[in-house]
Amino acid sequence: MAFLLHLLASTRGRIRSRQRSFLAAFMAVLGLVVMAACGGGGGGGASDPGLNISPSTLSFSARRGDPTPPAKGIQITVTSSSAAYVGADWGGGPGPSWIAATGLTGSGRTWSLGLQITDTNLAPGTYTATLRAGIADSKGNIIGTRNATITYQVLPDFHATPNTLSFDYIQGRSAPAGQVISLQGTAGNWSATAYPSWIHLSATSGGTPDTLTVSVDPAGLSVGDYEGSVSFHITSDGSLLQVPVALHVAQPSLQASASNLTFGGVHGGALAPQSLGLSMNSGEAITWTATADDAWVVLGKATGSTPDTLAISVDAALGPVTGGVYHSQVHFSGTAGGQPVSKTISVYLSLSAASLDLSHYALNFGGVNGDALAGQALGVSMNNVQALAWTATASAPWIVLSKASGTTSDLVLVSADPSKGSLASGNYLGTITFQANYLGATLSRVIQVTLSLTKPYLLLYPGSLSLGGPTGRDLATQPLSLTLNTGPVAYPWTASTPNGWIHADRMSGNVSDLGDILHLSPNATELAGGTYQGYIDFSVPVNGDIVTASLPVTLNLESHKLLVTDTGAAFASMPGLSSLTRTLQVRDNLGATTGWTASSDQPWLTVTPSGTTADGLVLTANPLGMAPDSLNFATITLTSPDASIQNAETVRVGFWVGSTSPAPSSVTSLPCKSLAVDPIRPYAYVHNGGTTISIYHAYTCALVGTIPSVAAQLGDMTISNDGSTLFVTDNINFKIVPVDLRTLTVGTPWALGAPIPAYIQYVRTNGKELVLAGNGCIFDAKTGAYLGGTALGATYNYTVSASLVGDHFAIDSMVHTLDFTSLNGGQVLVGPTQFPAATAWNTADYAFSNDGTRFYMAVKAPYDFYVVDTSTSNASLPLVQTLPGNAYPNNVEVARDNRVFCALEGYGPPDAWIYEPAGAELAHFQLSYIGTTTRQLKVTGDGLRMISFGNDAYYQGAELVFTTVAP
């Protein structure tokens, strides 16, 4: 063990490690260390150790095997002012195992040490130990000690079983039987005495183990409780063991199994009876009788013989008993040994008043107004389980009961219906009153009913609509979904709009959470092109709520136009060769069926006077009375009675009346690099890359004029569909130069946008005239303004082609859809790139059918003309036909009547073919000794002559070849 060393004053300093080791070695301490301030004190003399210990002797005693005796304490008082530490140990050595210190506690000068015996199983005898208390100064020097002597006596084990005795005696009966005590242990001999005299022993001495009988003689004792004891004296050590003896003397009495009975329940309800046992404390049989103070106490029988059991019940109907707490008594009497005996017990009755009971204290309903609200079951019963007729009344019409009367116990389904009373969203409070009659009194119960309604909402999807599409020409209907969050319950909706251009397929219906769908479309009648903002309002009455929603609607409407397939037409009449009629298709750019009227400004040209966009416009030229060898012009004006049509479409017509027919094939030798053919005049425009354009007549082959000083270095050429303007590139200045073909006047050039020579192509889409360049740029044909294009860059110079109707164009083999909308200031709409699925290399020329559904490719290898279907939106365009050729295809052209003209770069014969649109060959030719120049084969607007450059330009200068190709 460690020395219990406590710091008496923290200001005294700390024990050095060497001194601390000395203390530990000297005092063999008990093991607890506590630091506390001593607080000072008087000092001791030479014989005064500076501390006192009290008591200085301490004794413990225990019988072997018994529980340990109670703990005792020693107090240490410090008197020395030099003391800084206080402690205790077992005389410098380990402490005995039979005792333990419970801790040194205290402060200042007074300290206490608890001591506890830990072992009672030691051999009998006396054990001693010395406890030493000590104090030390601030340096750890021990300055005083005091000792206390501890004595522990272990007695031999001696036990009596039982260790207490109790006797009961009823006067007039025999004395109770004696009780045996068993003596165990190693104490040896013993002697016994009893006190008082009514206690008798069967033996007064003996040895262990042993037994003796203890009896009592109650004769002469009055009723009461008596106490005594048997004392056992151990001969060997003189110790004493006492066994207490108790005697209860009673007179004969009647006993009940309970002193009171308590009943509780509801008035009118059945209360279970209770059993009461009756007996004599003497065990004898006597006759008993019983009476109750109140009639509501019901006895199962009024007499009997002990021992007995009596049923006792209560009946509130037998007395003026209502709700409350009641008390009564039952009296029992009899005779025992000639003496009267009696017993009284109390009977308590706690009654609750009869009442109607409901299974819920309140009912709460909540949800979306208009949705079906689930009903709730409500139980109706009597708290006394009586069957009573009941009635129920609701305070508000929206509280709906499955029935208004019944018999308890019962179930009522309660629901909330906001349609009864046309409730609006909000919170409502009502009640249901239940009533029943019981014993002439009216029982009533009221339950509160609450209803919380949230306003439903009408969801429109999409939340806004844009009609007309990106081009402003998509007048198709668009679906609109209406959803009302009222579950499966549907309510009528109506719609209204101040905007007449918003058309719905219906303006009313029924809507629920299952939804309703209507379709909206624009009514573009008499609307000018532009962007319109409007709305359509929806309203749904749901009980007392009016649910509304508004749908913003935007209409992007393209300018409404009449468009003709071609704005130019060419006719010719010569002996044995003529082209005098042509049919143009009139269409509405918004896809509607629109009426039109047409007129011609020349008597020699007749036209269909009127029709709709489902009809064709037939042009017919009459040469009768016309001057021979004359070129005549006319203009057709197309208008519509529809006020929303914003344009008057014109078609320019040229009519050549010749006196002689041309030779089937004529050749004019001249140096040339580029060729363009007028769509309304019988003219071919050629140049050799210089500054001047020469004009040749398709039927006379004569040079009929020149256009000088057009550009520094002439390049590719294209002509507007109506023959009004020739566009030619300036390959030195990188510009496009417009030339008015009516006056042969050179206009103001505009920049190409890329410093390379470029191929160009005129196209008219949705009435907008454009010039497309092979570098991907798109220009306004009237102003030269750049309108956008494709991302090709400045390092490319591709062939460019377009359909007559203007819906497709291609730069090389990269096909795009093409459109124009006047919305947002005017926009060119270029579709994504599509490529022919057929693989080919060294394709020399491209062309579209007039309606844009076919794309033709002159493929130098493998010597064929591919036909590709462009009517699909897929990125890959399927090959649908192959037109046979020979080495090497380099020209493909589509005439106004959709005949396909093909030619070769190599030798023939033949070196040129004409195919019908379906692919059948119509004719073939030998145009030149070694074929035609790439992309230099054209067809006159009247379809009678094919004009081409011979490929001999590689050797001796080109040939301008005129060939009759009339059907």
Side-chain angles (χ1 to χ4, degrees):
M1 292 192 179
F3 183 73
L4 285 173
L5 189 62
H6 297 259
L7 179 64
L8 297 180
S10 60
T11 59
R12 305 280 186 175
R14 298 183 179 272
I15 304 174
R16 295 184 179 91
S17 60
R18 183 173 60 182
Q19 294 168 327
R20 188 180 299 115
S21 300
F22 171 75
L23 284 174
F26 177 74
M27 306 200 81
V29 291
L30 292 173
L32 297 176
V33 177
V34 177
M35 302 179 70
C38 176
S47 62
D48 182 1
L51 77 161
N52 294 317
I53 187 168
S54 177
S56 58
T57 60
L58 200 61
S59 297
F60 294 91
S61 176
R63 192 169 297 280
R64 190 173 189 271
D66 279 359
T68 58
K72 296 181 180 182
I74 289 178
Q75 180 174 299
I76 302 170
T77 303
V78 180
T79 60
S80 173
S81 60
S82 301
Y85 300 92
V86 61
D89 71 356
W90 295 107
S97 62
W98 46 266
I99 193 167
T102 59
L104 184 61
T105 61
S107 63
R109 293 200 245 171
T110 304
W111 298 81
S112 296
L113 180 64
L115 298 172
Q116 174 70 61
I117 297 300
T118 61
D119 189 358
T120 62
N121 291 312
L122 300 177
T126 301
Y127 298 85
T128 60
T130 299
L131 178 73
R132 180 175 61 172
I135 55 175
D137 61 16
S138 61
K139 296 181 179 180
N141 300 312
I142 297 174
I143 59 177
T145 62
R146 283 201 185 268
N147 295 336
T149 301
I150 311 299
T151 302
Y152 174 34
Q153 184 181 19
V154 180
L155 301 174
D157 56 334
F158 181 81
H159 301 91
T161 305
N163 57 7
T164 62
L165 299 176
S166 179
F167 296 89
D168 290 308
Y169 171 67
I170 298 173
Q171 290 178 334
R173 305 288 293 176
S174 300
Q179 300 183 40
V180 176
I181 294 179
S182 175
L183 301 174
Q184 302 291 333
T186 60
N189 295 329
W190 54 269
S191 61
T193 59
Y195 178 83
S197 60
W198 50 264
I199 303 174
H200 300 278
L201 303 177
S202 64
T204 58
S205 63
T208 54
D210 207 348
T211 62
L212 78 159
T213 300
V214 180
S215 59
V216 295
D217 181 7
L221 296 180
S222 59
V223 173
D225 292 313
Y226 299 87
E227 293 183 352
S229 64
V230 178
S231 298
F232 293 93
H233 301 269
I234 309 303
T235 304
S236 61
D237 58 18
S239 62
L240 178 67
L241 176 65
Q242 288 187 329
V243 176
V245 179
L247 171 63
H248 177 69
V249 180
Q251 64 182 10
S253 63
L254 187 63
Q255 296 178 325
S257 59
S259 60
N260 60 74
L261 299 176
T262 300
F263 296 85
V266 179
H267 190 275
L271 302 178
Q274 299 185 39
S275 295
L276 183 68
L278 293 174
S279 63
M280 286 296 294
N281 63 348
S282 62
E284 63 185 301
I286 69 167
T287 300
W288 60 267
T289 59
T291 60
D293 290 348
D294 297 282
W296 53 268
V297 179
V298 180
L299 303 179
K301 57 185 178 179
T303 185
S305 178
T306 62
D308 208 349
T309 300
L310 172 65
I312 300 178
S313 60
V314 294
D315 187 349
L318 298 178
V321 182
T322 59
V325 178
Y326 300 88
H327 173 254
S328 187
Q329 290 182 323
V330 179
H331 305 281
F332 298 91
S333 62
T335 300
Q339 298 295 323
V341 292
S342 64
K343 185 69 175 179
T344 299
I345 68 165
S346 293
V347 178
Y348 295 95
L349 173 60
S350 177
L351 280 180
S352 299
S355 66
L356 274 171
D357 278 351
L358 303 177
S359 59
H360 293 78
Y361 293 105
L363 295 177
N364 300 304
F365 296 91
V368 176
N369 192 12
D371 197 357
L373 304 179
Q376 300 183 43
L378 179 65
V380 184
S381 61
M382 283 292 296
N383 65 345
N384 60 7
V385 202
Q386 296 270 340
L388 294 183
W390 59 267
T391 60
T393 307
S395 65
W398 55 266
I399 303 174
V400 180
L401 307 178
S402 61
K403 56 184 176 180
S405 63
T407 302
T408 60
S409 295
D410 213 344
L411 277 178
V412 184
L413 184 66
V414 182
S415 56
D417 187 352
S419 68
K420 297 184 182 299
S422 296
L423 301 185
S425 52
N427 297 316
Y428 297 87
L429 179 64
T431 58
I432 307 172
T433 301
F434 291 85
Q435 289 186 328
N437 188 278
Y438 179 65
L439 299 178
T442 299
L443 305 180
S444 182
R445 192 67 179 269
V446 178
I447 184 172
Q448 190 176 76
V449 183
T450 60
L451 173 61
S452 178
L453 294 174
T454 57
K455 189 173 183 178
Y457 59 82
L458 182 65
L459 178 65
L460 306 179
Y461 183 81
S464 63
L465 273 182
S466 180
L467 303 176
T471 65
R473 297 193 296 278
D474 183 1
L475 305 184
T477 60
Q478 295 194 38
L480 175 67
S481 172
L482 282 66
T483 305
L484 185 68
N485 65 326
T486 54
V489 185
Y491 293 87
W493 61 265
T494 57
S496 63
T497 177
N499 308 112
W501 51 267
I502 300 176
H503 175 263
D505 59 351
R506 54 194 172 96
M507 298 296 280
S508 62
N510 294 291
V511 63
S512 68
D513 197 37
L514 300 177
D516 195 10
I517 296 178
L518 67 156
H519 296 82
L520 301 182
S521 59
N523 178 12
T525 304
E526 298 185 359
L527 281 184
T531 298
Y532 295 83
Q533 301 290 343
Y535 60 90
I536 182 169
D537 288 333
F538 295 87
S539 177
V540 187
V542 179
N543 299 328
D545 283 325
I546 302 298
V547 183
T548 60
S550 186
L551 178 76
V553 182
T554 300
L555 171 60
N556 291 319
L557 184 64
E558 174 64 290
S559 298
H560 196 183
K561 301 175 185 177
L562 278 179
L563 300 174
V564 290
T565 309
D566 199 354
T567 55
F571 297 105
S573 178
M574 292 157 283
L577 183 65
S578 66
S579 173
L580 299 176
T581 185
R582 184 176 176 195
T583 300
L584 301 178
Q585 185 61 47
V586 183
R587 61 186 178 91
D588 185 307
N589 72 331
L590 301 184
T593 300
T594 305
W596 51 263
T597 60
S599 61
S600 168
D601 65 351
Q602 297 296 326
W604 54 264
L605 180 65
T606 59
V607 297
T608 305
S610 63
T612 70
T613 49
D615 305 318
L617 171 64
V618 180
L619 287 63
T620 304
N622 186 357
L624 188 63
M626 302 290 289
D629 298 323
S630 63
L631 180 58
N632 307 277
F633 296 98
T635 299
I636 300 171
T637 303
L638 208 68
T639 59
S640 173
D642 187 340
S644 66
I645 296 293
Q646 296 179 252
N647 72 315
E649 188 83 318
T650 60
V651 180
R652 299 186 71 242
V653 180
F655 184 22
W656 165 251
V657 179
S659 59
T660 60
S661 293
S665 180
S666 304
V667 177
T668 299
S669 296
L670 73 164
C672 55
K673 291 185 177 181
S674 185
L675 165 68
V677 172
D678 199 305
I680 69 171
R681 303 174 184 87
Y683 292 160
Y685 303 91
V686 297
H687 69 76
N688 63 358
T691 62
T692 298
I693 296 174
S694 299
I695 307 172
Y696 286 86
H697 200 292
Y699 297 105
T700 66
C701 303
L703 178 68
V704 295
T706 59
I707 310 173
S709 304
V710 176
Q713 184 184 78
L714 294 170
D716 197 31
M717 295 186 292
T718 186
I719 302 176
S720 63
N721 288 352
D722 64 357
S724 62
T725 308
L726 169 70
F727 303 91
V728 60
T729 61
D730 183 341
N731 290 347
I732 293 295
N733 297 309
F734 312 116
K735 294 180 183 295
I736 296 177
V737 182
V739 178
D740 188 334
L741 293 182
R742 291 165 296 188
T743 62
L744 302 184
T745 302
V746 177
T748 302
W750 69 79
L752 261 173
I756 57 172
Y759 295 104
I760 57 176
Q761 173 69 53
Y762 170 91
V763 66
R764 182 173 183 261
T765 181
N766 192 33
K768 182 68 175 180
E769 297 182 74
L770 305 173
V771 174
L772 312 176
N775 61 4
C777 295
I778 301 176
F779 302 95
D780 187 322
K782 294 295 186 183
T783 66
Y786 174 73
L787 298 180
T790 61
L792 292 179
T795 60
Y796 297 92
N797 180 26
Y798 288 127
T799 302
V800 58
S801 55
S803 64
L804 180 64
V805 296
D807 63 344
H808 282 81
F809 78 100
I811 297 180
D812 199 66
S813 61
M814 296 171 283
V815 178
H816 303 266
T817 58
L818 181 66
D819 203 349
F820 180 84
T821 176
S822 59
L823 297 175
N824 301 316
Q827 292 177 297
V828 174
L829 305 175
V830 176
T833 302
Q834 298 171 285
F835 288 98
T839 57
W841 64 276
N842 201 16
T843 303
D845 197 11
Y846 306 89
F848 284 93
S849 61
N850 291 334
D851 62 4
T853 61
R854 291 291 185 268
F855 182 53
Y856 297 90
M857 305 167 61
V859 182
K860 286 189 174 182
Y863 309 160
D864 290 318
F865 299 91
Y866 285 171
V867 185
V868 173
D869 182 6
T870 63
S871 62
T872 177
S873 60
N874 295 334
S876 179
L877 302 177
L879 177 69
V880 294
Q881 196 175 34
T882 300
L883 304 178
N886 207 336
Y888 301 97
N890 68 340
N891 277 279
V892 61
E893 185 80 7
V894 178
R896 291 297 200 266
D897 58 7
N898 267 320
R899 285 177 299 161
V900 183
F901 291 76
C902 305
L904 301 178
E905 177 184 273
Y907 299 94
D911 64 0
W913 295 263
I914 304 175
Y915 294 97
E916 66 175 9
E921 182 182 329
L922 295 174
H924 57 264
F925 306 91
Q926 180 66 39
L927 300 180
S928 183
Y929 177 67
I930 53 172
T932 61
T933 304
T934 299
R935 293 185 293 274
Q936 301 302 316
L937 181 145
K938 308 295 179 184
V939 181
T940 57
D942 53 29
L944 297 178
R945 294 279 270 184
M946 175 172 61
I947 306 173
S948 61
F949 280 167
N951 208 25
D952 290 350
Y954 284 109
Y955 307 104
Q956 57 187 6
E959 298 174 334
L960 187 59
V961 181
F962 300 89
T963 307
T964 299
V965 291

